[in-house]
């Protein structure tokens, strides 16, 4: 079985930028160590990617904090993590879940048996969205989330999202 790791939105704005938290900062080194346990060809990532008109979008009206504007320093993947991910394995996404990433994982799953592990930011928004999207595309593929390498918007939302993931048959490890 091929083991895939998906690193969700480990970008400056979510770590120590406009939407950063101390919990997000605290997981960076654990994420680096986890990535190093995978074959580089099997490490994929997403990047939250917004344009300059972000505040005019539906998301921007509900979360009126500019973040991950393409081309800005806050959009970049953390400097410890970026060198560990092949550029061709990075998926920019304009919203919480990445359909392009899900299509790529489905393509891999159609060719060989895979398992998927996710980690990153934010547990209660983009991690849960991508995990559930992948589960919907591939209900028989084992999907897990390493909660020691995730952080939510708040510790309470992190915990609640882990419960949601478990309810939807996504295995939560590291508890």
């Amino acid at each position: 079985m091929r083991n895939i790791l998906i690193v969700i939105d480990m970008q400056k704005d979510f770590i120590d930028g406009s939407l950063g938290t101390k919990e997000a900062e605290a997981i960076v080194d654990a994420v680096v160590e986890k990535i190093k346990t995978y074959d580089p060809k099997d490490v994929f990532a997403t990047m939250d990617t917004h344009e300059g008109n972000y505040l005019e979008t539906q998301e921007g009206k509900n979360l009126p904090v500019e973040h991950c504007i393409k081309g800005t320093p806050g959009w970049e993947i953390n400097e410890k993590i970026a060198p560990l991910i092949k550029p061709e394995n990075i998926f920019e996404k304009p919203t919480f879940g990445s359909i392009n990433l899900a299509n790529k994982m489905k393509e891999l799953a159609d060719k060989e048996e895979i398992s998927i592990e996710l980690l990153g930011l934010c547990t209660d928004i983009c991690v849960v969205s991508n995990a559930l999207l992948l589960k919907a595309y591939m209900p028989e593929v084992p999907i897990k989330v390493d909660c020691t390498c995730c952080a939510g918007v708040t510790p309470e939302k992190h915990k609640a999202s882990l419960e949601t993931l478990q309810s939807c048959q996504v295995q939560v490890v590291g508890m």
Side-chain angles (χ1 to χ4, degrees):
M1 179 177 299
R2 182 174 174 188
N3 298 310
I4 305 292
L5 179 67
I6 300 176
V7 179
I8 304 292
D9 298 355
M10 288 298 295
Q11 294 161 268
K12 181 171 178 48
D13 274 344
F14 290 128
I15 297 170
D16 58 6
S18 61
L19 292 172
T21 64
K22 65 183 187 320
E23 293 84 9
E25 290 180 48
I27 68 165
V28 171
D29 290 336
V31 169
V32 168
E33 292 309 309
K34 175 70 82 163
I35 292 170
K36 289 179 179 178
T37 68
Y38 279 80
D39 186 317
K41 74 176 176 27
D42 296 329
V43 178
F44 294 82
T46 62
M47 291 180 75
D48 201 43
T49 302
H50 301 295
E51 302 298 327
N53 68 338
Y54 171 75
L55 294 175
E56 299 166 22
T57 67
Q58 181 175 327
E59 181 183 329
K61 290 174 184 170
N62 287 291
L63 177 63
V65 178
E66 283 192 346
H67 65 280
C68 299
I69 306 299
K70 189 170 184 166
T72 66
W75 175 71
E76 298 295 328
I77 293 176
N78 174 274
E79 64 275 358
K80 292 180 180 178
I81 296 168
L84 303 174
I85 303 169
K86 294 179 174 222
E88 64 270 21
N89 285 357
I90 297 173
F91 292 82
E92 294 178 16
K93 59 183 185 57
T95 188
F96 309 128
S98 173
I99 293 168
N100 292 334
L101 172 69
N103 285 332
K104 177 64 176 181
M105 294 301 110
K106 178 83 168 82
E107 177 185 310
L108 294 177
D110 287 345
K111 292 179 185 171
E112 61 189 306
E113 196 174 347
I114 66 170
S115 70
I116 299 172
E117 181 171 16
L118 294 94
L119 52 75
L121 302 169
C122 292
T123 319
D124 49 309
I125 303 174
C126 293
V127 173
V128 74
S129 294
N130 281 285
L132 295 179
L133 181 60
L134 291 165
K135 195 67 171 165
Y137 265 55
M138 304 168 295
E140 296 303 316
V141 169
I143 298 175
K144 64 183 175 182
V145 170
D146 184 342
C147 68
T148 67
C149 293
C150 293
V153 173
T154 66
E156 297 78 20
K157 288 187 176 190
H158 170 74
K159 184 176 183 235
S161 64
L162 297 176
E163 291 174 10
T164 297
L165 287 164
Q166 288 176 315
S167 294
C168 295
Q169 301 177 0
V170 173
Q171 181 186 10
V172 176
V173 297
M175 293 184 82

